[in-house]
Amino acid sequence: MSLRIDERIAEHRAALSPQERKAAATLLEHLDDLATYRAAELANLAGVSKATMSRLFRHLGYADFDEVREHLRALRTAGEPRRVDGTPDLAAHAAQEAEAILRALHQPQLAQAVELVATARRVTVVGWRNSHPVALHLRQQLAHARGDVRLAPLPGQVVGEELADLGAGDVVVVIGFRRRPSGFPTFLAEAAGTGAAVVLLGDPTAMPHAAQATVWLECPVQGALAFDSYAAAMSLVGALADGVLSRSGRAAQERVSGISRTYERLREVE
C-alpha cells in the first residue's frame, strides 16, 4: 500500500524548502477536508505561491493536485473517513441511502439466508469493529424469532471456542464490513470447515471472501458523507430477522409472547 499524504510529508519534510514546509503544514491542518479545496486556495491559505504548492506535490510523489484528490478518494474507498466532495447535499445523501436500502433488500439470496437461519440447529452471529453493532442488532432480533442464537465475540473474548461445537445443521452469520480485522479470511475458512453453513454479509470489498460462504449478501455502506452509513445494513438484517419470524410461524409468535411476558414479570422494559 502506498504511503498516505501525511506519511509522505513526514518522510520528505527534511528535504523541503521553508516555503514548501509552510505549504505542507497547511495541508496537514486541512487534511480532513483537503479535497474540498482547489490548489490555488490552498496556496492562498498557506501564504505561498501556486508554483510552490505545485513543487510540494511533486516532491511528495504526486503529479498534481488532481492526483492528491484521487489518493484521498482511494482512502475513502478503503473505509477511512474523508470528505472528498465538499459540503454534502443531504437530500442527495438521503436519496442515495434509499437506493442502497432497495439494492440490499432486493437480493434473491436473502430468501436462502432466511431458510438457512430459520431451520438451523444453532445460529452464531459474528462481527468485529464496525460490524459488531450490526451483528448485535441481528442477534437481538433473531433471539425473538428462534432459540439458540449466539453472539461472538463477546467483550473480552475471542471466537475460537465458539466454533468448537459447530457442525452440519448449524449456521454462522458473519458480518464483515470494510476495515475488517486481518484474521477475517482465516476465521471464515475455519467456520466453513466446521460443516456449518456460512452466511456472509458485507460491503463490496468483502466479495473476495464470498467463495468461503454458503450465501453472500452484499450491502453498500459508502455514501456522500465522510463516515460509512449502516442504514442499508440495519434494514437488511431487519428483513432477514423478519423473514425468519415469518418462516417459523406459530412457534415464533408464541416465543415472542413468552418473552414479552417475562419482560413484564421482571419489569425490564417500560
Side-chain angles (χ1 to χ4, degrees), residues 165-269:
D165 297 327
L166 295 181
D170 296 325
V171 170
V172 183
V173 181
V174 185
I175 315 296
F177 293 109
R178 60 190 182 182
R179 311 198 90 178
R180 295 170 290 275
S182 59
F184 189 82
T186 303
F187 170 78
L188 277 179
E190 287 290 329
T194 66
V198 176
V199 176
L200 174 60
L201 191 161
D203 67 284
T205 67
M207 192 177 295
H209 302 300
Q212 301 275 17
T214 311
V215 178
W216 159 242
L217 296 174
E218 185 172 319
C219 185
V221 293
Q222 181 171 335
L225 304 183
F227 292 90
D228 287 346
S229 169
Y230 297 92
M234 287 300 195
S235 291
L236 180 55
V237 300
L240 174 57
D242 179 81
V244 172
L245 183 71
S246 297
R247 171 65 175 77
S248 301
R250 184 174 180 81
Q253 293 300 331
E254 291 176 350
R255 179 177 175 83
V256 169
S257 297
I259 290 171
S260 294
R261 288 193 295 271
T262 303
Y263 285 162
E264 292 172 3
R265 289 195 299 271
L266 295 176
R267 299 181 179 180
E268 287 187 310
V269 297

Side-chain angles (χ1 to χ4, degrees), residues 55-89:
R55 283 197 301 274
L56 172 62
F57 294 145
R58 290 195 296 273
H59 283 168
L60 296 179
Y62 302 107
D64 51 30
F65 190 52
D66 286 339
E67 191 170 332
V68 175
R69 288 177 183 273
E70 289 306 311
H71 167 73
L72 294 172
R73 287 192 175 92
L75 292 177
R76 180 68 191 96
T77 299
E80 185 171 314
R82 294 283 174 187
R83 285 179 52 199
V84 295
D85 294 312
T87 302
D89 181 335

